[in-house]
Amino acid sequence: MTAENLINGIPQERRLTTAIPGPKSLDMQKRRVSAVSGGVGMTLPIFIERAGGGVVVDVDGNSMIDMGSGIAVTTVGNAATEVAAAVTEQVERFTHTCFMVTQYENYVDVCEALNRLTPGDHEKRSALFNTGAEAVENAVKIARHYTKRQAVVVFEHGYHGRTNLTMAMTGKNQPYKQGFGPFAPEIYRMPLSNPFHDGLSGADAAKHAISRIEKELGAGNVAAIVIEPIQGEGGFIVPAQGFLPALVKFANNNGIVFVADEVQTGFCRTGAWFACEHEGIVPDMITTAKGIAGGLPLAAVTGRAEIMDAVHAGGLGGTYGGNPIACAAAMASIGIMEQQDLNAKAKNIENVMVPRLKKIAEDCGVIGDVRGRGAMIAVEITKPGTDEPDPDMTGKVAKLCHSEGVLVLTAGTYGNVLRFLPPLVMPEHLLDDALTIIERAFKEATA
Ligand SMILES: *Cc1c(COP(=O)(O)O)cnc(C)c1O
């Protein structure tokens, strides 16, 4: 094994030593079932012992290629050396003070970095939280406080989290909402631009959504428009060009706070610091989490200073928000992104994956659309020759990938999207190997 084939001391290889799941995972799964709430789901019933670079290694010694990054979180790699060192240094000095009680410098460091890296050169402020849902909730709180309006516009197929407010904002019943109502009021869902299905130009799709907002709500009642610039759980739907800029213009003209939910798309995932950059739009507020801190729980709202500072002192916060260990991890992660130019790495992943997936699409006949940007790439699986979703085929392909040691995730309102979110430090030979397995899985599933 050569040195470059080791990351974190872990061989960068796909290696199956047992069936998936193996005997040790099966044993732990029995304990899991009797100890952990059945309401917490899992993609694959295996238990991980170590992870790094492009692999996760389970308790049976199986080394799986990680095409999910724990849902777009371990962008800089799992247990990245610099992140582990920064966390260790911080955890030995102090673990917590509560930033609302006594302050510490790395909270400010993270806010400065967010203000510098997010789109737009206007004066900005940030506030830190623990989860994506919490960031989205706070963005809505701030926008409502600032505008003195209540209505919040969201979009079809959107996903914003699992708390009461963000469930209301999420556009998919199963599994996120079923039986969990009543949901928060004043949330209005509008049609998205979804080029594979609606065939509309960005301008026409925006005209349609804006007209609905004007007629159904009245623009003057809307506090915020909240949208994922590329939808994550919704199935990596990239709106047609011009859709987002038209919404931003409408928001700006009507005193509406435009919020880009970049919890999944942010921090180099799409080959740019933020996905808004691909359309040249500048949101008033941006929510981030997932990829920000190399696996530690951290989230943020960053926005125009006049909006963020409008809230009275004490109106925002939380016991753990911006925990110093998570902040140390974030600063180390951002350092890796800058030093290793992870935006370039994400673009390279796109350049490797898209042609191979398009070839698979031609050969197998069940892939209706290959889409996404950077290291956020998906295939939508449809009944041949139609745009009708085929979730059974999607599950079958995912299962075949898992049994061969490639961890893939599904997505989409109809569960018919296979999505790929590799760590940006994924060695290219592993990416190639994963694509070979994916190709074989489609061949076998459609045989
Ligand atoms: C994952 C996600 C959230 C919720 O983040 P959590 O940390 O799971 O609460 C919100 N918005 C988007 C776009 C997401 O992908």
Side-chain angles (χ1 to χ4, degrees):
M1 195 63 54
T2 58
E4 64 262 51
N5 273 340
L6 289 176
I7 298 181
N8 286 1
I10 304 173
Q12 296 296 299
E13 60 181 2
R14 182 172 60 87
R15 181 187 67 234
L16 296 181
T17 55
T18 69
I20 303 287
K24 286 188 183 164
S25 280
L26 284 172
D27 275 351
M28 286 181 196
Q29 184 65 11
K30 279 190 204 128
R31 287 172 47 210
R32 188 257 199 230
V33 167
S34 50
V36 180
S37 161
V40 181
M42 94 221 73
T43 299
L44 195 56
I46 62 170
F47 289 79
I48 299 306
E49 194 169 66
R50 293 199 71 178
V55 297
V56 294
V57 182
D58 76 7
V59 289
D60 292 288
N62 296 297
S63 178
M64 311 261 304
I65 303 178
D66 182 11
M67 296 296 281
S69 299
I71 317 187
V73 170
T74 53
T75 300
V76 298
N78 218 315
T81 312
E82 297 88 336
V83 172
V87 164
T88 305
E89 191 275 335
Q90 178 61 47
V91 84
E92 285 172 350
R93 281 195 297 121
F94 63 95
T95 52
H96 172 84
T97 66
C98 186
F99 192 76
M100 304 180 305
V101 177
T102 54
Q103 309 175 107
Y104 39 89
E105 188 177 12
N106 64 12
Y107 188 114
V108 182
D109 292 338
V110 172
C111 292
E112 285 174 349
L114 282 161
N115 298 348
R116 172 172 61 85
L117 293 168
T118 49
D121 51 15
H122 51 278
E123 178 103 4
K124 294 173 206 158
R125 304 280 186 270
S126 291
L128 304 184
F129 305 96
N130 304 291
T131 67
E134 217 189 328
V136 172
E137 289 237 357
N138 277 280
V140 170
K141 276 170 70 172
I142 297 163
R144 282 177 169 160
H145 191 97
Y146 174 74
T147 59
K148 302 184 174 63
R149 304 173 182 175
Q150 294 186 353
V152 173
V153 167
V154 293
F155 290 83
E156 288 170 349
H157 311 292
Y159 180 85
H160 300 288
R162 294 170 178 271
T163 58
N164 187 261
L165 177 61
T166 57
M167 266 196 297
M169 295 170 72
T170 289
K172 184 176 176 181
N173 181 50
Q174 274 291 12
Y176 307 123
K177 303 169 78 161
Q178 176 60 40
F180 296 142
F183 302 109
E186 290 300 319
I187 305 295
Y188 301 93
R189 197 172 325 285
M190 292 296 159
L192 184 74
S193 162
N194 189 351
F196 174 59
H197 290 281
D198 65 23
L200 294 175
S201 72
D204 285 346
K207 210 186 284 172
H208 185 44
I210 288 167
S211 149
R212 292 257 320 256
I213 296 170
E214 285 173 330
K215 299 302 171 217
E216 288 180 30
L217 313 180
N221 297 315
V222 178
I225 292 175
V226 183
I227 188 165
E228 301 157 82
I230 298 174
Q231 285 190 329
E233 307 303 299
F236 293 10
I237 301 168
V238 185
Q241 200 187 347
F243 180 73
L244 294 170
L247 288 179
V248 170
K249 192 166 162 215
F250 169 72
N252 291 348
N253 290 343
N254 289 282
I256 299 168
V257 177
F258 184 90
V259 183
D261 181 354
E262 293 236 24
V263 166
Q264 191 154 160
T265 49
F267 285 100
C268 307
R269 176 52 56 188
T270 67
W273 280 99
F274 297 95
C276 283
E277 294 168 37
H278 298 293
E279 287 261 13
I281 59 168
V282 176
D284 299 310
M285 225 188 261
I286 182 164
T287 55
T288 51
K290 290 197 168 104
I292 190 175
L296 276 88
L298 188 71
V301 180
T302 300
R304 293 185 186 279
E306 65 271 23
I307 301 176
M308 298 295 291
D309 282 341
V311 177
H312 49 277
L316 306 176
T319 305
Y320 293 113
N323 170 274
I325 303 165
C327 288
M331 292 313 293
S333 298
I334 292 167
I336 295 172
M337 291 171 196
E338 286 178 327
Q339 281 145 29
Q340 299 185 20
D341 194 359
L342 292 196
N343 283 323
K345 290 212 157 72
K347 282 184 205 141
N348 184 55
I349 289 171
E350 176 178 347
N351 291 337
V352 172
M353 291 197 74
V354 169
R356 296 264 318 255
L357 292 170
K358 287 200 164 148
K359 176 77 175 49
I360 298 172
E362 268 173 38
D363 293 344
C364 76
V366 297
I367 295 177
D369 196 23
V370 177
R371 60 176 176 248
R373 289 190 202 274
M376 186 170 181
I377 302 290
V379 295
E380 179 163 342
I381 296 170
T382 49
K383 305 250 164 76
T386 72
D387 72 347
E388 214 182 301
D390 192 343
D392 295 337
M393 177 62 70
T394 310
K396 208 164 147 189
V397 172
K399 226 171 156 179
L400 283 165
C401 289
H402 295 162
S403 68
E404 289 299 320
V406 177
L407 185 52
V408 297
L409 306 174
T410 58
T413 302
Y414 305 99
N416 67 322
V417 177
L418 208 54
R419 60 170 159 172
F420 308 109
L421 292 159
L424 304 190
V425 296
M426 168 81 71
E428 199 166 318
H429 73 274
L430 280 184
L431 194 61
D432 277 334
D433 190 26
L435 285 160
T436 301
I437 296 301
I438 291 162
E439 187 174 9
R440 211 189 288 162
F442 271 102
K443 218 173 251 171
E444 205 175 315
T446 53

